[in-house]
């Protein structure tokens, strides 16, 4: 059965969230992480989240030789034509730090009454020994808020209030947050499909 899985992310915030999610799920899997391997990060050349997720999963799986899970995600702001979208990471890096990124977004949103935004996450698992690709996706709707609030999150979570809540993601209890986030739902979808393949993965 599929009992080995490597989680491929270099983002420490994402890594912490995914580790906690996997602990919650208590899956019958031997989990490895990129820190166990010496592999250079690939480029993320595509203009679509799913293409980047698949690209990263296959890139790392080819070098590790084990089933590998990767994801690509980002913040999409309706009033800014879905910006920063697939370039969410690059926007933060260009700003220098997330506080500067928040400040720049606040300026960009000045005068707009539309604060609607959403997070996208596309997850991909590739098993090189069986040439199997599994994907999952999720979207978390919400609104932007400034100034940022909360210290229980990473990335853009302090400026994002999920629909149905009055707190930012960075203010929510991490365990509760793992039941609603785009990343948690996309990864759960992939892992559920993966475990259902158990009978077909027998050697």
């Amino acid at each position: 059965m599929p009992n080995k899985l490597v989680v491929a992310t270099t983002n420490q915030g994402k890594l912490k969230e995914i580790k906690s999610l996997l602990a919650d799920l208590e899956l019958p899997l031997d989990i490895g992480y990129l820190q166990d391997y010496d592999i250079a990060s690939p480029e993320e050349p595509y203009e679509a989240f799913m293409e980047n997720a698949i690209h990263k999963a296959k890139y790392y799986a080819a070098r590790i030789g084990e089933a590998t899970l990767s994801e690509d995600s980002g913040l999409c702001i309706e009033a800014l034509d879905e910006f920063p979208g697939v370039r969410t990471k690059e926007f933060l890096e260009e700003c220098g730090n997330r506080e500067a990124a928040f400040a720049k977004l606040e300026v960009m949103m000045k005068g707009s009454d539309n604060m609607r935004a959403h997070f996208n996450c596309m997850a991909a698992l590739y098993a090189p020994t069986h040439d199997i690709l599994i994907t999952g996706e999720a979207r978390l709707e919400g609104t932007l808020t400034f100034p940022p609030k909360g210290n229980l999150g990473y990335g853009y979570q302090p400026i994002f209030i999920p629909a149905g809540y009055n707190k930012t993601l960075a203010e929510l209890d991490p365990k509760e947050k793992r039941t609603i986030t785009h990343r948690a739902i996309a990864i759960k979808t992939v892992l559920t499909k993966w475990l259902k393949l158990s009978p077909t993965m027998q050697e």
Side-chain angles (χ1 to χ4, degrees):
M1 68 174 292
N3 58 6
K4 174 70 176 181
L5 177 67
V6 177
V7 175
T9 181
T10 58
N11 182 302
Q12 293 305 303
K14 290 182 180 182
L15 181 60
K16 183 178 179 180
E17 179 183 354
I18 294 171
K19 281 185 173 182
S20 297
L21 172 64
L22 294 173
D24 291 344
L25 296 175
E26 298 181 340
L27 300 174
L29 295 171
D30 176 17
I31 308 294
Y33 299 94
L34 280 186
Q35 64 193 35
D36 304 324
Y37 305 90
D38 183 18
I39 302 174
S41 299
E43 296 293 324
E44 298 181 25
Y46 300 103
E47 294 301 320
F49 292 111
M50 186 61 80
E51 287 182 290
N52 280 324
I54 292 172
H55 172 67
K56 289 186 286 186
K58 289 188 172 183
Y59 170 90
Y60 285 115
R63 287 153 180 79
I64 295 169
E66 300 281 359
T68 303
L69 172 69
S70 189
E71 58 84 46
D72 198 43
S73 54
L75 175 66
C76 302
I77 301 171
E78 188 172 299
L80 301 180
D81 295 323
E82 306 296 288
F83 180 85
V86 74
R87 296 304 170 204
T88 294
K89 175 184 174 182
E90 286 80 357
F91 175 71
L92 191 151
E93 291 174 344
E94 288 166 6
C95 290
N97 56 58
R98 72 176 187 169
E99 288 72 25
F102 296 163
K104 186 168 183 177
L105 285 176
E106 185 174 10
V107 170
M108 293 171 72
M109 293 296 292
K110 189 173 182 179
S112 175
D113 294 327
N114 180 7
M115 301 298 282
R116 289 191 295 272
H118 63 271
F119 279 111
N120 273 341
C121 180
M122 308 294 172
L125 186 156
Y126 183 67
T129 56
H130 293 76
D131 191 27
I132 290 174
L133 174 68
I134 300 170
T135 62
E137 60 186 86
R139 174 168 165 154
L140 179 62
E141 301 284 353
T143 55
L144 298 182
T145 184
F146 300 100
K149 303 179 183 72
N151 56 11
L152 299 177
Y154 62 94
Y156 295 81
Q157 293 186 4
I159 62 169
F160 186 87
I161 299 175
Y165 289 78
N166 57 14
K167 295 180 179 180
T168 69
L169 283 173
E171 293 177 295
L172 292 178
D173 174 78
K175 189 165 186 177
E176 178 184 7
K177 185 163 51 181
R178 290 195 296 274
T179 67
I180 66 167
T181 67
H182 50 298
R183 184 167 298 104
I185 293 171
I187 288 176
K188 285 178 187 176
T189 298
V190 167
L191 294 178
T192 298
K193 294 177 183 178
W194 176 233
L195 290 174
K196 284 181 179 178
L197 283 176
S198 295
T200 67
M201 298 288 287
Q202 299 291 341
E203 295 295 340

